[in-house]
Amino acid sequence: MLNFIHEYIQWFWLSIAVLFTVIEVCSFGLTTIWFALGGIIMIFVSFLPIPFPWQILIFLVISTLLLIFTRPVAIKKLKVGKEKTNTDEIIGKTALVVKEITKFEKGEVKIKGIVWAAETANGENISVGTECIIESVHGVTLTVSPLPKEN
């Protein structure tokens, strides 16, 4: 088996690159793509008279360095992760309580003419007619806290 790999070493590294690319396409984690790039680099390195165990070590070092140093930049540039939606724009806005919110029961608030299910951020009761600020959005439920009362 090792003789076969030595004879077709470039094909071995190409198949490693293809394998890691397929895994990346299935996972979208931006993790295995760096090992696919390491495999592509190793295709060219394999033309040098380097023993196979050293090639594996070089592959692991190159791929790990690519993973450590370029993945954070790629994630930042590609904005992989939490996708902002139009519901994020209401965080920090003021809403009006239209159904009482208690520590143990959700109520309702109205913002921009739309009624949302709401829960209290700190466990206090919020009565109908109270203005509150939207702290966060979880699914279709807003987490709110009452606005401080003005004197």
Side-chain angles (χ1 to χ4, degrees):
M1 178 70 173
L2 213 52
N3 287 336
F4 180 78
I5 291 174
H6 280 290
E7 192 172 331
Y8 298 103
I9 193 73
Q10 290 82 19
W11 291 105
F12 171 78
W13 289 118
L14 180 63
S15 64
I16 291 293
V18 169
L19 174 70
F20 281 114
T21 302
V22 168
I23 293 170
E24 182 64 38
V25 166
C26 293
S27 69
F28 294 113
L30 273 181
T31 304
T32 57
I33 192 69
W34 311 115
F35 289 87
L37 289 173
I40 291 170
I41 292 169
M42 288 309 298
I43 292 171
F44 300 103
V45 172
S46 67
F47 285 106
L48 301 172
I50 300 173
F52 184 65
W54 282 102
Q55 287 187 29
I56 291 176
L57 181 65
I58 293 169
F59 165 73
L60 291 174
V61 168
I62 289 172
S63 300
T64 304
L65 289 174
L66 283 171
L67 177 68
I68 292 170
F69 293 111
T70 58
R71 184 175 186 265
V73 174
I75 287 176
K76 186 176 181 180
K77 292 289 183 188
L78 296 174
K79 295 178 176 65
V80 175
K82 185 178 185 286
E83 190 173 310
K84 287 208 171 253
T85 62
N86 59 353
T87 58
D88 292 329
E89 76 179 29
I90 64 174
I91 295 173
K93 303 282 184 184
T94 304
L96 181 66
V97 177
V98 293
K99 180 181 174 190
E100 183 179 16
I101 306 168
T102 67
K103 181 177 181 178
F104 302 107
E105 190 173 327
K106 290 181 182 179
E108 294 178 348
V109 296
K110 191 174 204 178
I111 182 168
K112 295 185 178 183
I114 301 172
V115 177
W116 289 74
E119 60 189 7
T120 179
N122 52 12
E124 63 183 286
N125 293 347
I126 306 174
S127 59
V128 174
T130 305
E131 287 189 13
C132 54
I133 190 157
I134 300 168
E135 303 285 335
S136 61
V137 180
H138 302 283
V140 295
T141 303
L142 304 179
T143 303
V144 298
S145 57
L147 284 174
K149 300 201 190 258
E150 295 179 14
N151 293 331

